Amino acid sequence: MDTHAMGGIVPMREPGRAGTLPATSAELSRLLTAVRRGRVLTVTGRFREPRSLLVREIAARLSSNFCDGVAVVALDRAFGVRELTAALGCVPGCGTANAVSWLAERDILLVLDGADLLTPAARAWLRGLLDAAPGVRILAAGRLPLCLPAERVHRL
């Protein structure tokens, strides 16, 4: 599937992909609640496929909980602030300040699949975004936590 044609945003469910979730139904329920009530949840673990599968399932189940929906960004290389805002497709014009202003008015779940590929500048931008955009929630999958304020971590 060509994610570049969609600016890095990929569909919630990919046809022909099936798998077993790497979480029990009780764990999944706790994770869904953590995303609804918290600001940042990161699923960590050694292998990318189970992390990706779990965050995409959580996002699919919660998509109707956010007025502006879910934005899934699949990171397949180092992503800085420009790449991240471009992948979100939220920059009318250019500049990261416009992206923060745009997102500050949204009720949206931002899913970062492969978050370990975010540059330090992109992580700092996300930290500022959380301060400026109260309706933004972040659900990430990566080898390590994002180290953002109030982040909850689920280890696979």
Side-chain angles (χ1 to χ4, degrees), residues 35-47:
V35 173
R36 282 189 207 105
R37 293 186 180 164
R39 296 292 308 278
V40 182
L41 173 67
T42 302
V43 175
T44 65
R46 187 171 169 192
F47 300 104

Side-chain angles (χ1 to χ4, degrees), residues 14-148:
E14 297 179 42
R17 290 199 53 177
T20 304
L21 284 177
T24 65
S25 59
E27 285 175 315
L28 183 58
S29 179
R30 283 192 299 274
L31 294 171
L32 291 167
T33 299
V35 173
R36 282 189 207 105
R37 293 186 180 164
R39 296 292 308 278
V40 182
L41 173 67
T42 302
V43 175
T44 65
R46 187 171 169 192
F47 300 104
R48 183 174 185 143
E49 188 66 27
R51 295 186 316 244
S52 295
L53 183 63
L54 184 55
V55 297
R56 287 170 189 255
E57 181 64 26
I58 292 167
R61 290 181 185 220
L62 291 178
S63 63
S64 65
N65 289 48
F66 296 90
C67 294
D68 296 302
V70 175
V72 180
V73 180
L75 291 84
D76 57 357
R77 64 190 185 296
F79 261 58
V81 178
R82 282 189 176 177
E83 292 85 5
L84 183 55
T85 58
L88 289 170
C90 63
V91 185
C94 45
T96 58
N98 287 343
V100 171
S101 296
W102 187 84
L103 287 165
E105 299 174 4
R106 304 288 176 257
D107 177 41
I108 191 168
L109 177 61
L110 173 56
V111 179
L112 303 171
D113 188 1
D116 41 304
L117 295 171
L118 290 169
T119 65
R123 289 172 191 251
W125 183 81
L126 287 171
R127 190 173 292 108
L129 176 65
L130 289 171
D131 291 337
V136 171
R137 303 261 189 299
I138 297 173
L139 174 60
R143 289 186 304 252
L144 300 169
L146 290 171
C147 299
L148 295 174

